[in-house]
């Protein structure tokens, strides 16, 4: 509806094959890969720890943009990354004071699998963000000067979401009993 309000068309226009290729990737990497691991992490380590680990997303975005977009990482950015990593480590690691001989050993206070899933989710979100930027740059070139940055951002979001919905549907279709669970959940009044 927003795209229609600003362009009188319901679907994106003017995207080259290259722009579509770049904008399909974040739909898969950010939405499907990232969100699938995000929901799995929520189940294992709950929202507070998951969101804490999602603060790694800008770190992954910065590293990806360094390699993909050749954007420089300043000393300030690197220092911010180190502070973020230190804060996360302080939160999820605690000393084990079970016995006097073990007082210097550290242990992770939450599920290792949940941490792994949350880190994969942050990776998907960070890399997806950079892929989106690359796609929007390609879209801006193919759409020309008449397309505003606002239009490009809304149309690019539409492309990513369409790809994400298609991929989630295909995943659900391929999972054992996936469609049955989907239809049961839709019929559940609580859901």
């Amino acid at each position: 509806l927003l795209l229609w309000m600003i362009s009188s068309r319901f679907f994106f226009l003017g995207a080259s094959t290259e722009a579509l290729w770049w904008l399909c990737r974040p739909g898969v990497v950010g939405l499907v890969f990232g969100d699938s691991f995000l929901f799995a992490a929520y189940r294992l380590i709950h929202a507070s720890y998951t969101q804490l680990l999602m603060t790694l997303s800008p770190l992954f975005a910065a590293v990806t943009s360094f390699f993909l977009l050749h954007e420089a990482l300043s000393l300030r950015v690197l220092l911010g990354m180190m502070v973020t990593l230190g804060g996360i480590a302080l939160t999820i690691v605690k000393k084990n004071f079970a016995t006097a001989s073990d007082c210097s050993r550290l242990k992770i206070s939450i599920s290792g699998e949940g941490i792994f899933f949350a880190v994969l989710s942050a990776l998907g979100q960070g890399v997806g963000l950079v892929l989106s930027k690359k796609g929007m740059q390609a879209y801006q070139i193919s759409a020309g000067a008449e397309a505003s940055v606002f239009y490009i951002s809304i149309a690019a979001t539409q492309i990513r979401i369409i790809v994400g919905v298609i991929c989630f549907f295909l995943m659900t279709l391929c999972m054992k009993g996936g469609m049955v669970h989907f239809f049961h959940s839709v019929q559940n009044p609580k859901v």
Side-chain angles (χ1 to χ4, degrees), residues 78-159:
L78 293 171
L79 182 62
M81 289 180 187
M82 288 173 32
V83 168
T84 301
L85 289 173
I88 292 170
L90 283 172
T91 304
I92 64 173
V93 175
K94 66 179 183 179
K95 284 195 172 193
N96 181 9
F97 292 109
T99 64
S101 62
D102 287 341
C103 66
S104 63
R105 298 176 71 192
L106 299 175
K107 74 172 192 172
I108 295 176
S109 61
I110 56 176
S111 162
E113 186 180 25
I115 291 171
F116 181 65
F117 288 168
V119 170
L120 287 178
S121 177
L123 176 67
Q125 297 296 326
V127 172
L129 180 70
V130 176
L131 294 173
S132 295
K133 184 176 181 179
K134 180 79 172 171
M136 286 190 286
Q137 288 172 346
Y139 197 168
Q140 185 69 51
I141 292 167
S142 67
E146 68 275 356
S148 70
V149 174
F150 185 64
Y151 174 84
I152 297 291
S153 64
I154 300 301
T157 300
Q158 184 185 50
I159 293 166

Side-chain angles (χ1 to χ4, degrees), residues 152-181:
I152 297 291
S153 64
I154 300 301
T157 300
Q158 184 185 50
I159 293 166
R160 292 191 311 265
I161 289 175
I162 288 170
V163 169
V165 167
I166 291 169
C167 289
F168 271 122
F169 177 76
L170 292 174
M171 277 177 47
T172 304
L173 202 58
C174 292
M175 291 170 60
K176 183 179 176 182
M179 291 308 287
V180 173
H181 290 301

